[in-house]
Amino acid sequence: SYVLTQPPSVSVAPGTTARITCGGDNIGSKSVQWYQQRPGQAPVLVIRDDVDRPSGIPERVSGSNSGNTATLSISGVEPGDEADYYCQVWDSSSDHPVFGGGTKLTVL
Amino acid sequence: EVQIVESGGAVVKPGGSLRLSCAASGFIFDDYTMHWVRQFPGKGLEWVSLISWNGDGTRYADSVKGRFTISRDNGKNFVYLQMTGLNTEDTALYYCAKGFSSSIRGSIPHWGQGTLVTVSS
């Protein structure tokens, strides 16, 4: 089945931009979703269809997708952004969703 | 407001069975695909199963195919996950979640808080 590869961790200083990648074979041809999961909480959708922000998600959260890499970017990082982030796509070969392994964002 | 509440999690012995329930409200239930997603202790998310708006379409992860069965009752706004042949690798927090639309593809915008399944002798 389709494999999504994320770095286990990303660390950034407050106020800077965090970039979390999600790698997959020709992922640019797929629609990518991103979820944020804070400790002890359920996942929250933060980006759908590569670039769209659901209602209530701040503009400093953005997504891009091209070639073999999709990227979630968070500008002006705040302590409250510290969480695990997961990418997700539809795997057409197995005909179901798949998640990446997740990236822990640490705000230094 | 969308509300999703899971129940039925328990401690069960290897080889045992369990049925999880998911009560949904705050939206037109039979307009949406519903999912089960699990999270292993301290680990990432694994999609488990989905069911289409009318129940005619189902999908399963390879890890549960043949052991788990998803179903829904559109009259009661419930989704179920019948789990059989449980093993220790099934120990996880199980989330019920609402899809973006009637299509089985797309994002998963609403999640419950999860119900814990522990498989242990």
Side-chain angles (χ1 to χ4, degrees), chain A:
Chain A
S1 66
Y2 193 78
V3 176
L4 294 172
T5 302
Q6 298 183 237
S9 63
V10 168
S11 299
V12 298
T16 62
T17 298
R19 293 181 179 86
I20 298 171
T21 59
C22 175
D25 184 31
N26 197 25
I27 194 173
S29 66
K30 299 181 181 296
S31 172
V32 179
Q33 340 302 328
W34 289 93
Y35 302 85
Q36 174 196 63
Q37 187 180 32
R38 294 190 172 103
Q41 296 187 20
V44 172
L45 179 68
V46 294
I47 291 288
R48 64 168 182 254
D49 297 336
D50 297 340
V51 298
D52 290 336
R53 280 185 308 277
S55 169
I57 303 303
E59 289 186 10
R60 58 192 187 82
V61 178
S62 63
S64 63
N65 184 18
S66 179
N68 293 320
T69 305
T71 302
L72 175 71
S73 299
I74 307 173
S75 62
V77 165
E78 304 169 354
D81 295 325
E82 199 161 91
D84 293 324
Y85 292 84
Y86 297 89
C87 57
Q88 176 251 310
V89 301
W90 182 271
D91 177 13
S92 52
S93 63
S94 57
D95 208 22
H96 63 64
V98 294
F99 285 93
T103 297
K104 180 176 181 58
L105 174 64
T106 299
V107 181
L108 299 170

Side-chain angles (χ1 to χ4, degrees), chain A residues 33 35 45 48-49 52 54, chain B residues 31-35 97-110:
Chain A
Q33 340 302 328
Y35 302 85
L45 179 68
R48 64 168 182 254
D49 297 336
D52 290 336
Chain B
D31 274 357
Y32 293 90
T33 292
M34 297 295 293
H35 298 260
K98 167 185 164 290
F100 182 69
S101 70
S102 59
S103 170
I104 61 173
R105 301 180 176 224
S107 62
I108 306 174
H110 296 100

